[in-house]
Amino acid sequence: MTQTPATGVRVGVQIQPQQADYGQIRDAVLRAEDLGVDIVFNWDHFFPLYGDPDGKHFECWTMLGAWAEQTSRVEIGALVTCNSYRNPDLLADMARTVDHISGGRLILGIGAGWFERDYDEFGYEFGTAGSRIADLAAAMPRIRARWAAANPTPTRDIPVMIGGGGERKTLRVVAEHADVWHSFGDVETLRRKSAILDEHGAAVGRDTASLVTRSLAVDGSDPDEVGDELLAAGVRLFTCSAGGPDYDLTNAAAWVRWRDARA
């Protein structure tokens, strides 16, 4: 993954693909890239998570294909793809294709899934949290095998971001398969779960302290108040979000300024 000079600190922004026309989403992506963020994410749902539950909403991966052509510098990805919605081999090939379209700027963000309405209305089996995490663990080797077998192969080793904080199962999957771990919560929660992740890493033979980048949702947080403490706790990717239709990037701009002051 491309690193910000000197520090490795990176800023992401999640452009929520809801409550907006696509032209407004496209404009927000352009503004985010011009602002200087490192990564632009969307999410993988079929209905809005906030606001009008039946409001406007767009699909994740077709959108990422468009972003791959629209952008030239930022990395792109889903925060995160739901493993349940696509055959793992198909998802791997979709990711490989977007990787090539973007010139090697895709991050495969993936998680076990949680939003029951998506499952019910689109005909997926919701199962249990345990079964969905088990399915995610089983999918990861298939995804990497498909990348290795493809012609052409991906342009790079596509970074895998896994989201979630379940201490017994999810963090074990992160330890085994992720390059980036995305989490939520305050600095104390981050430190505790990060230590548990490293325990899982030791159990599976991976040095997760050095191999797995810590990513944290920082929506609405003032970087001048919390940034340095989070940095000291190991966070290197700071991600905020912006919702439609206006896509206010003020918070993202503050994090970019904070990042640049440490470069």
Side-chain angles (χ1 to χ4, degrees), residues 68-244:
E69 287 283 7
Q70 175 190 343
T71 58
S72 60
R73 178 188 59 79
V74 292
E75 290 186 293
I76 58 174
L79 186 61
V80 289
T81 301
C82 176
N83 174 66
S84 306
Y85 300 159
R86 299 163 193 88
N87 172 286
D89 291 77
L90 171 61
L91 176 62
D93 211 36
M94 292 164 63
R96 176 188 67 100
T97 299
V98 175
D99 165 69
H100 276 269
I101 295 170
S102 67
R105 293 181 290 114
L106 178 77
I107 296 170
L108 177 60
I110 191 167
W114 63 274
F115 190 41
E116 190 167 2
R117 184 183 180 189
D118 284 346
Y119 287 78
D120 291 345
E121 295 213 24
F122 274 66
Y124 298 105
E125 177 63 39
F126 189 59
T128 66
S131 69
R132 294 192 300 275
I133 293 168
D135 287 345
L136 173 62
M140 294 312 305
R142 289 179 59 182
I143 289 170
R144 294 193 185 278
R146 179 57 56 187
W147 285 340
N151 184 12
T153 56
T155 67
R156 63 172 179 169
D157 290 333
I158 297 174
V160 172
M161 167 189 277
I162 294 179
E167 296 176 6
R168 188 168 64 89
K169 294 182 178 180
T170 301
L171 291 182
R172 179 75 172 212
V173 178
V174 172
E176 290 179 325
H177 299 291
D179 303 293
V180 185
W181 166 51
H182 183 73
S183 60
F184 304 86
D186 59 20
V187 66
E188 290 80 12
T189 301
L190 173 80
R191 288 194 185 104
R192 180 172 56 81
K193 290 182 181 287
S194 187
I196 293 170
L197 172 60
D198 290 341
E199 291 173 2
H200 284 299
V204 301
R206 285 189 80 209
D207 179 12
T208 52
S210 61
L211 295 177
V212 180
T213 297
R214 271 59 168 173
S215 168
L216 188 71
V218 291
D219 288 327
S221 297
D222 183 343
D224 293 326
E225 293 182 359
V226 303
D228 288 342
E229 186 178 24
L230 291 173
L231 189 65
V235 180
R236 292 298 179 269
L237 175 55
F238 300 81
T239 300
C240 49
S241 63

Side-chain angles (χ1 to χ4, degrees), residues 27-81:
D27 174 70
V29 173
L30 177 63
R31 289 189 287 117
E33 184 167 51
D34 289 346
L35 182 66
V37 304
D38 299 290
I39 311 170
V40 181
F41 296 107
N42 60 8
W43 68 31
D44 189 20
H45 295 288
F46 304 125
F47 302 94
L49 299 185
Y50 310 113
D52 179 0
D54 296 313
K56 297 173 181 177
H57 199 281
F58 293 96
E59 193 274 331
C60 168
W61 277 90
T62 44
M63 183 178 293
L64 289 175
W67 290 6
E69 287 283 7
Q70 175 190 343
T71 58
S72 60
R73 178 188 59 79
V74 292
E75 290 186 293
I76 58 174
L79 186 61
V80 289
T81 301

